[in-house]
């Protein structure tokens, strides 16, 4: 079945450091790929998405590129801020069983220190 | 409403007790999903509604789990004869249309079975 594997956490960085969170997936066909973020005390929010190979999703300084050849969708940010501290989830979806349900990775907790 | 609302936010149930968890999606959203998130894990799909029709319930872990959305808006997830392994955060998400462009998540209900 479909699955998502993402980098084990937790990740601790200093402000302005470069961030990479690795994500790889297994799926048949051509899934859509997502990064969701969960800030402390809040619900999951869509951070960015890509729907086809070589697409780049970007938002709030974060970027991820859909790489079909390596089945990857790594999240990057050039300079993290304290406010980026959150749990990040990589996810995929594709139409099956009448729904486009999301399949999530386990999440990576990021802490950014001032 | 402004977002997806779930109630209660926290629920403690004695083993064997029945519980009902409520989800108020964003007004007018057609698609509604329930997910279960165990501690330290990513959310896992439970069931999907398109308006009032339950089109996919492949993720429900047992026949003790039942979900409904009788008028195509509010949804209730019911768990009968709760067990300790049911302890988790239950997340509801809604999508405006039929395609998974952006899922809006509620803050979840944390269920603890003692």
């Amino acid at each position: 079945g479909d699955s998502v594997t993402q980098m084990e956490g937790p990740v601790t960085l200093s402000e302005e450091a470069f961030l990479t969170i690795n994500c790889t997936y297994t799926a048949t066909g051509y899934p859509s790929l997502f990064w969701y973020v969960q800030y402390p005390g809040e619900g999951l929010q869509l951070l960015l998405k890509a729907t086809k190979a070589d697409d780049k999703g970007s938002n709030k300084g974060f970027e991820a590129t859909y790489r079909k050849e390596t089945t990857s969708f790594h999240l990057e940010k050039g300079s993290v801020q304290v406010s980026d501290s959150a749990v990040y989830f990589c996810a995929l979806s594709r139409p099956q069983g009448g729904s486009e349900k999301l399949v999530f990775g386990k999440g990576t907790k990021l802490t950014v220190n001032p | 409403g402004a977002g997806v609302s779930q109630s209660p936010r926290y629920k403690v149930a004695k083993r064997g007790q029945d519980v009902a968890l409520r989800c108020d999606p964003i007004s007018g959203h057609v698609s509604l999903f329930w997910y279960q998130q165990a501690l330290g894990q990513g959310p896992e799909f439970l069931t999907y509604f398109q308006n009032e029709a339950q089109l996919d319930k492949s993720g429900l872990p047992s026949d003790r789990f039942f979900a409904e959305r009788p008028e195509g808006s509010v949804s209730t997830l019911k768990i009968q004869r709760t067990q300790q392994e049911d302890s988790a955060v239950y997340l509801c998400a809604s999508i405006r249309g039929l395609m998974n462009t952006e899922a809006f998540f509620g803050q979840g209900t944390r269920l603890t079975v003692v």
Side-chain angles (χ1 to χ4, degrees):
Chain A
D2 297 346
S3 67
V4 174
T5 302
Q6 65 180 101
M7 183 174 148
E8 294 278 332
V11 174
T12 302
L13 295 173
S14 297
E15 208 165 22
E16 299 184 2
F18 183 84
L19 168 71
T20 300
I21 301 178
N22 290 337
C23 171
T24 57
Y25 68 90
T26 301
T28 55
Y30 301 92
S32 296
L33 302 175
F34 306 82
W35 278 99
Y36 277 82
V37 59
Q38 187 170 35
Y39 298 105
E42 299 185 16
L44 283 165
Q45 302 173 24
L46 178 65
L47 180 60
L48 53 84
K49 67 173 184 175
T51 57
K52 61 183 186 293
D54 300 325
D55 267 3
K56 178 185 284 188
S58 61
N59 186 26
K60 299 182 180 180
F62 291 89
E63 292 183 340
T65 300
Y66 189 144
R67 301 287 188 201
K68 187 160 178 61
E69 63 276 13
T70 54
T71 61
S72 65
F73 193 56
H74 305 321
L75 182 68
E76 295 182 338
K77 187 174 185 181
S79 176
V80 294
Q81 305 300 312
V82 172
S83 57
D84 294 327
S85 297
V87 182
Y88 293 81
F89 293 91
C90 185
L92 68 80
S93 77
R94 63 180 182 89
Q96 56 179 324
S99 71
E100 288 203 23
K101 56 196 170 194
L102 288 160
V103 176
F104 288 90
K106 292 186 177 182
T108 302
K109 183 176 182 179
L110 170 67
T111 301
V112 180
N113 295 318
Chain B
V4 178
S5 177
Q6 292 187 246
S7 61
R9 288 292 313 280
Y10 304 93
K11 176 70 179 177
V12 178
K14 291 184 178 179
R15 194 170 55 158
Q17 187 178 356
D18 297 349
V19 298
L21 312 180
R22 177 186 171 105
C23 172
D24 281 87
I26 294 173
S27 178
H29 277 201
V30 169
S31 300
L32 186 146
F33 297 77
W34 284 98
Y35 292 86
Q36 179 190 59
Q37 185 175 17
L39 188 64
Q41 303 294 315
E44 292 192 357
F45 170 79
L46 292 177
T47 188
Y48 163 68
F49 290 86
Q50 185 183 113
N51 296 308
E52 69 279 4
Q54 188 176 21
L55 296 187
D56 188 347
K57 52 182 181 180
S58 61
L60 295 176
S62 77
D63 59 6
R64 296 186 295 104
F65 286 71
F66 171 77
E68 60 183 4
R69 194 186 185 198
E71 297 178 358
S73 55
V74 170
S75 178
T76 304
L77 176 66
K78 298 178 179 178
I79 308 173
Q80 297 177 322
R81 305 181 304 280
T82 52
Q83 304 295 316
Q84 281 193 317
E85 62 262 28
D86 301 334
S87 296
V89 176
Y90 291 85
L91 299 171
C92 176
S94 69
I95 298 174
R96 184 180 55 184
L98 303 183
M99 301 296 287
N100 200 357
T101 52
E102 179 173 357
F104 293 85
F105 282 82
Q107 290 183 288
T109 295
R110 181 178 297 279
L111 172 65
T112 304
V113 181
V114 298

